[in-house]
PDB file of all heavy atoms in Angstrom:
ATOM      1  N   GLU A  29     261.506 120.264 118.815  1.00 97.00           N
ATOM      2  CA  GLU A  29     260.918 121.232 117.966  1.00 97.00           C
ATOM      3  C   GLU A  29     260.200 120.580 116.797  1.00 97.00           C
ATOM      4  O   GLU A  29     260.605 119.490 116.333  1.00 97.00           O
ATOM      5  CB  GLU A  29     261.966 122.205 117.442  1.00 97.00           C
ATOM      6  CG  GLU A  29     262.558 123.091 118.502  1.00 97.00           C
ATOM      7  CD  GLU A  29     263.557 124.108 117.939  1.00 97.00           C
ATOM      8  OE1 GLU A  29     264.552 123.685 117.318  1.00 97.00           O
ATOM      9  OE2 GLU A  29     263.337 125.327 118.085  1.00 97.00           O
ATOM     10  N   ALA A  30     259.168 121.188 116.304  1.00 97.00           N
ATOM     11  CA  ALA A  30     258.426 120.678 115.155  1.00 97.00           C
ATOM     12  C   ALA A  30     259.348 120.590 113.955  1.00 97.00           C
ATOM     13  O   ALA A  30     260.133 121.520 113.708  1.00 97.00           O
ATOM     14  CB  ALA A  30     257.240 121.594 114.888  1.00 97.00           C
ATOM     15  N   GLY A  31     259.209 119.492 113.213  1.00 96.00           N
ATOM     16  CA  GLY A  31     259.983 119.314 112.006  1.00 96.00           C
ATOM     17  C   GLY A  31     261.321 118.628 112.193  1.00 96.00           C
ATOM     18  O   GLY A  31     262.005 118.402 111.208  1.00 96.00           O
ATOM     19  N   PHE A  32     261.681 118.338 113.463  1.00 98.00           N
ATOM     20  CA  PHE A  32     262.979 117.666 113.683  1.00 98.00           C
ATOM     21  C   PHE A  32     262.939 116.310 112.962  1.00 98.00           C
ATOM     22  O   PHE A  32     262.072 115.469 113.170  1.00 98.00           O
ATOM     23  CB  PHE A  32     263.187 117.438 115.207  1.00 98.00           C
ATOM     24  CG  PHE A  32     264.485 116.764 115.514  1.00 98.00           C
ATOM     25  CD1 PHE A  32     265.684 117.478 115.429  1.00 98.00           C
ATOM     26  CD2 PHE A  32     264.511 115.423 115.919  1.00 98.00           C
ATOM     27  CE1 PHE A  32     266.903 116.866 115.753  1.00 98.00           C
ATOM     28  CE2 PHE A  32     265.721 114.819 116.219  1.00 98.00           C
ATOM     29  CZ  PHE A  32     266.908 115.527 116.133  1.00 98.00           C
ATOM     30  N   PRO A  33     263.973 116.075 112.052  1.00 98.00           N
ATOM     31  CA  PRO A  33     263.889 114.857 111.221  1.00 98.00           C
ATOM     32  C   PRO A  33     264.351 113.605 111.918  1.00 98.00           C
ATOM     33  O   PRO A  33     264.081 112.500 111.424  1.00 98.00           O
ATOM     34  CB  PRO A  33     264.857 115.209 110.071  1.00 98.00           C
ATOM     35  CG  PRO A  33     265.876 116.132 110.716  1.00 98.00           C
ATOM     36  CD  PRO A  33     265.073 116.953 111.709  1.00 98.00           C
ATOM     37  N   GLY A  34     265.018 113.712 113.031  1.00 98.00           N
ATOM     38  CA  GLY A  34     265.563 112.546 113.713  1.00 98.00           C
ATOM     39  C   GLY A  34     267.076 112.696 113.887  1.00 98.00           C
ATOM     40  O   GLY A  34     267.708 113.577 113.291  1.00 98.00           O
ATOM     41  N   THR A  35     267.625 111.874 114.753  1.00 98.00           N
ATOM     42  CA  THR A  35     269.091 111.872 114.886  1.00 98.00           C
ATOM     43  C   THR A  35     269.711 111.171 113.687  1.00 98.00           C
ATOM     44  O   THR A  35     269.052 110.480 112.930  1.00 98.00           O
ATOM     45  CB  THR A  35     269.526 111.135 116.160  1.00 98.00           C
ATOM     46  OG1 THR A  35     269.155 109.742 116.036  1.00 98.00           O
ATOM     47  CG2 THR A  35     268.824 111.717 117.379  1.00 98.00           C
ATOM     48  N   LEU A  36     271.026 111.349 113.512  1.00 98.00           N
ATOM     49  CA  LEU A  36     271.716 110.607 112.412  1.00 98.00           C
ATOM     50  C   LEU A  36     271.587 109.108 112.595  1.00 98.00           C
ATOM     51  O   LEU A  36     271.448 108.320 111.641  1.00 98.00           O
ATOM     52  CB  LEU A  36     273.155 111.077 112.317  1.00 98.00           C
ATOM     53  CG  LEU A  36     273.394 112.428 111.664  1.00 98.00           C
ATOM     54  CD1 LEU A  36     274.878 112.780 111.747  1.00 98.00           C
ATOM     55  CD2 LEU A  36     272.919 112.460 110.216  1.00 98.00           C
ATOM     56  N   ASP A  37     271.689 108.630 113.839  1.00 98.00           N
ATOM     57  CA  ASP A  37     271.483 107.199 114.078  1.00 98.00           C
ATOM     58  C   ASP A  37     270.127 106.755 113.522  1.00 98.00           C
ATOM     59  O   ASP A  37     270.058 105.743 112.837  1.00 98.00           O
ATOM     60  CB  ASP A  37     271.524 106.896 115.581  1.00 98.00           C
ATOM     61  CG  ASP A  37     272.877 107.123 116.212  1.00 98.00           C
ATOM     62  OD1 ASP A  37     273.695 106.169 116.218  1.00 98.00           O
ATOM     63  OD2 ASP A  37     273.092 108.221 116.703  1.00 98.00           O
ATOM     64  N   GLU A  38     269.094 107.526 113.822  1.00 98.00           N
ATOM     65  CA  GLU A  38     267.762 107.150 113.402  1.00 98.00           C
ATOM     66  C   GLU A  38     267.607 107.290 111.861  1.00 98.00           C
ATOM     67  O   GLU A  38     267.022 106.369 111.236  1.00 98.00           O
ATOM     68  CB  GLU A  38     266.760 108.011 114.097  1.00 98.00           C
ATOM     69  CG  GLU A  38     266.688 107.778 115.584  1.00 98.00           C
ATOM     70  CD  GLU A  38     265.965 108.892 116.349  1.00 98.00           C
ATOM     71  OE1 GLU A  38     265.779 110.001 115.827  1.00 98.00           O
ATOM     72  OE2 GLU A  38     265.631 108.653 117.541  1.00 98.00           O
ATOM     73  N   LEU A  39     268.100 108.360 111.295  1.00 98.00           N
ATOM     74  CA  LEU A  39     267.985 108.597 109.862  1.00 98.00           C
ATOM     75  C   LEU A  39     268.690 107.532 109.044  1.00 98.00           C
ATOM     76  O   LEU A  39     268.152 106.988 108.094  1.00 98.00           O
ATOM     77  CB  LEU A  39     268.502 109.979 109.507  1.00 98.00           C
ATOM     78  CG  LEU A  39     267.689 111.162 110.060  1.00 98.00           C
ATOM     79  CD1 LEU A  39     268.486 112.441 109.905  1.00 98.00           C
ATOM     80  CD2 LEU A  39     266.345 111.283 109.358  1.00 98.00           C
ATOM     81  N   ILE A  40     269.929 107.249 109.428  1.00 98.00           N
ATOM     82  CA  ILE A  40     270.725 106.275 108.666  1.00 98.00           C
ATOM     83  C   ILE A  40     270.181 104.866 108.861  1.00 98.00           C
ATOM     84  O   ILE A  40     270.065 104.120 107.879  1.00 98.00           O
ATOM     85  CB  ILE A  40     272.206 106.385 109.065  1.00 98.00           C
ATOM     86  CG1 ILE A  40     272.769 107.735 108.618  1.00 98.00           C
ATOM     87  CG2 ILE A  40     273.021 105.231 108.487  1.00 98.00           C
ATOM     88  CD1 ILE A  40     274.170 108.027 109.131  1.00 98.00           C
ATOM     89  N   SER A  41     269.788 104.538 110.036  1.00 98.00           N
ATOM     90  CA  SER A  41     269.230 103.193 110.311  1.00 98.00           C
ATOM     91  C   SER A  41     267.976 102.944 109.505  1.00 98.00           C
ATOM     92  O   SER A  41     267.732 101.846 108.988  1.00 98.00           O
ATOM     93  CB  SER A  41     268.918 103.053 111.795  1.00 98.00           C
ATOM     94  OG  SER A  41     268.283 101.817 112.059  1.00 98.00           O
ATOM     95  N   ALA A  42     267.164 103.984 109.323  1.00 97.00           N
ATOM     96  CA  ALA A  42     265.901 103.869 108.552  1.00 97.00           C
ATOM     97  C   ALA A  42     266.084 104.044 107.076  1.00 97.00           C
ATOM     98  O   ALA A  42     265.111 103.952 106.302  1.00 97.00           O
ATOM     99  CB  ALA A  42     264.896 104.898 109.101  1.00 97.00           C
TER     100      ALA A  42
END
Side-chain angles (χ1 to χ4, degrees):
E29 292 183 300
F32 181 74
T35 66
L36 283 175
D37 293 271
E38 293 164 344
L39 292 168
I40 292 171
S41 176

